[in-house]
Amino acid sequence: MPVTLSSRIERWPVAGAFSIARGSVNEVTTVVAELSDGASRGRGECRPYGRYGETPDGVKAEIDALTGELAAGLDRAALQSRLPAGAARNALDCAFWDLEAKRAGVSVAALAGLPEPAPLVTAFTLSLAEPEAMARAALAAADRPLLKIKLGAGDGRDPARLAAVRAAAPEAELIVDANEGWRDAALAENLAACAAARVTLVEQPLPAGDDSVLARVARPIPVCADESAHDRASLSELSGRYDAVNIKLDKTGGLTEALAMAESARAAGLIVMVGCMLASSLAMAPAVLLAQGAAVADLDGPLLLARDCPDGLLYEGSLLHPPSRALWG
């Protein structure tokens, strides 16, 4: 049957505000791609990200431009070379997976030759703020087993933020995300503060493209590449600098490349983390499949929104359940 394509822009209010080293947002904008053959429908959601030069209108235009090619037979395999890694390809790739599974009457996991996904523990993110405010947020989330702390303000107070969070949540496992906000001069001090706070992983401490110093300094805890790693082609640049890699569908350009990247990363001896951009459950759903067996899952996006999409993912505290077929997959 011929497949038709549609896309739309959606906006999701954040619960309060979400702050990282690059700024704060109180609303996120996503793009949804939908494929239909008249009997079955497949959907995928992406989060265009300004850090990578993407805009919602631009991503939607990239998707819509493929309408004619789709009618002519463009499929998921051809899509991998037709669009570069990024948000537009992610939405379409995940929509293809969803459509293919529904046409075949099987799950995406079965289609991909993978075990059916099981519930997993996700990190819960604490926004960047003053130490006292972060301590209050940590105290409110102290019963969660895994907390992700946003740092990188550049004001010299990150060690104080770490100490405050650890005091408020003494039993939680902590990971840190500096979002490229640290610089060489403070790197050793900040890593030492992480070690003192029993942090188990730190993401992207230095700007991508300016991280060569990581190969020359002691790393008391594993350092994870995020902005420095997009798809398999970027893995070779991580050698000697990073111990782990954060794989996100919006960077890889979809589940197809993400699955291959995870396999290559493990073969290279890297710890695999699966993360997300702030978005609804539709964007998280394919990543739940990718996160099976990952050392760290950071898929709390919907928990940070004021509302979620219909048939959203079920979270029991920090325990994330696989998506229903009504949502995706």
Side-chain angles (χ1 to χ4, degrees), residues 170-205:
E171 302 302 322
E173 180 182 358
L174 302 182
I175 58 177
V176 159
D177 187 0
N179 282 115
E180 305 181 276
W182 293 347
R183 295 298 180 265
D184 293 5
L187 180 61
E189 178 189 4
N190 286 332
L191 288 177
C194 286
R198 307 194 314 279
V199 170
T200 57
L201 184 81
V202 58
E203 287 182 68
Q204 201 67 44

Side-chain angles (χ1 to χ4, degrees), residues 81-127:
S81 57
R82 177 61 183 83
L83 287 182
R89 195 177 80 190
N90 175 33
L92 276 169
D93 181 79
C94 292
F96 267 120
W97 276 108
D98 193 24
L99 179 64
E100 290 167 22
K102 288 182 168 62
R103 278 175 152 179
V106 300
S107 67
V108 169
L111 200 65
L114 299 171
E116 291 300 318
L120 53 82
V121 172
T122 178
F124 182 77
T125 303
L126 305 183
S127 286

Side-chain angles (χ1 to χ4, degrees), residues 109-315:
L111 200 65
L114 299 171
E116 291 300 318
L120 53 82
V121 172
T122 178
F124 182 77
T125 303
L126 305 183
S127 286
L128 177 63
E130 291 301 303
E132 298 78 9
M134 294 189 75
R136 289 193 295 271
L139 184 62
D143 59 336
R144 294 182 180 271
L146 178 60
L147 298 179
K148 176 172 173 173
I149 310 165
K150 290 290 189 177
L151 296 178
D155 58 3
R157 303 186 72 193
D158 279 351
R161 292 181 175 93
L162 276 167
V165 168
R166 174 47 81 200
E171 302 302 322
E173 180 182 358
L174 302 182
I175 58 177
V176 159
D177 187 0
N179 282 115
E180 305 181 276
W182 293 347
R183 295 298 180 265
D184 293 5
L187 180 61
E189 178 189 4
N190 286 332
L191 288 177
C194 286
R198 307 194 314 279
V199 170
T200 57
L201 184 81
V202 58
E203 287 182 68
Q204 201 67 44
L206 301 175
D210 192 24
D211 55 4
S212 59
V213 68
L214 290 171
R216 305 191 300 271
V217 299
R219 300 194 296 272
I221 60 173
V223 176
C224 179
D226 184 355
E227 287 86 350
S228 289
H230 289 252
D231 55 10
R232 279 175 292 174
S234 61
L235 287 176
S236 62
E237 299 298 317
L238 307 185
S239 179
R241 303 180 186 186
Y242 293 96
D243 312 287
V245 60
N246 188 349
I247 301 176
K248 296 178 179 176
L249 299 182
D250 277 319
K251 294 190 300 177
T252 65
L255 182 62
T256 302
E257 173 64 18
L259 289 169
M261 183 178 180
E263 184 177 349
S264 295
R266 291 186 177 100
L270 291 167
I271 299 166
V272 171
M273 174 180 182
V274 173
C276 67
M277 305 298 186
L278 191 55
S280 85
S281 283
L282 181 57
M284 301 302 116
V288 175
L289 183 59
L290 176 67
Q292 301 295 309
V296 179
D298 176 27
L299 301 176
D300 63 343
L303 295 177
L304 306 175
L305 300 178
R307 59 180 175 85
D308 195 8
C309 64
D311 304 304
L313 291 165
L314 173 62
Y315 292 85

